[in-house]
Amino acid sequence: AQTVTQSQPEMSVQEAETVTLSCTYDTSESDYYLFWYKQPPSRQMILVIRQEAYKQQNATENRFSVNFQKAAKSFSLKISDSQLGDAAMYFCAYLWEGNKLVFGAGTILRVKS
Amino acid sequence: DTGVSQNPRHKITKRGQNVTFRCDPISEHNRLYWYRQTLGQGPEFLTYFQNEAQLEKSRLLSDRFSAERPKGSFSTLEIQRTEQGDSAMYLCASSLGTGYYGYTFGSGTRLTVV
């Protein structure tokens, strides 16, 4: 079974600074999709960014970007110019067999003002 | 498009009782997924539907759990003879086709079994 590992249970960042959340995964597939989701306290999960494995270019969505290292099976999320509203639980996820998302355990991001 | 709607938001039940949750997906989405999330953990896959067909069930889904999606629209998840270990957030999500573009999640139903 595919596994997704987020080794940082909790991270803190100062407002306006940059933070990187780590994610590694295990797969034997050559073509797959990876995602980062944000889950604010008591609110629904929101898609932040997605990456297609066959694309070499790292995905970017405004202040959010990824560092996708296919050979290392690493998929980190960089948040630039952190804002108070970025505080949430962040989940890395892998789309397995095109049918279901497999999630990591999550990283709590705290933003300090 | 009002997003994915889940009801109720919260449910407290006594051990041994049956509970049923409802999920209304985005209307044009043909796939619907159920996940369970315990405190401080990532969501775990339970089952998914393509239209009205239930295509896969996780081994996490014991015989006490049943899900339906009649007519390929809303879905229900029923838990019979609830146990304290069933206490969790139950998340529903939907997608148009496969999940290549991600899922849209609902706000979840938090179940507490006392």
Side-chain angles (χ1 to χ4, degrees), chain A residues 16 44 73:
Chain A
Q44 69 191 95
K73 297 180 182 176

Side-chain angles (χ1 to χ4, degrees), chain B residues 87-100:
Chain B
S87 295
M89 176 76 86
Y90 290 84
L91 298 172
C92 177
S94 67
S95 68
L96 179 61
T98 59
Y100 294 155

Side-chain angles (χ1 to χ4, degrees), chain B residues 67-113:
Chain B
E68 294 182 340
R69 192 184 182 197
K71 302 178 183 178
S73 56
F74 71 92
S75 176
T76 57
L77 178 68
E78 181 184 17
I79 309 174
Q80 297 182 325
R81 305 181 303 282
T82 52
E83 302 173 355
Q84 285 191 322
D86 297 332
S87 295
M89 176 76 86
Y90 290 84
L91 298 172
C92 177
S94 67
S95 68
L96 179 61
T98 59
Y100 294 155
Y101 294 95
Y103 301 167
T104 301
F105 280 86
S107 297
T109 294
R110 181 166 296 284
L111 174 66
T112 303
V113 182

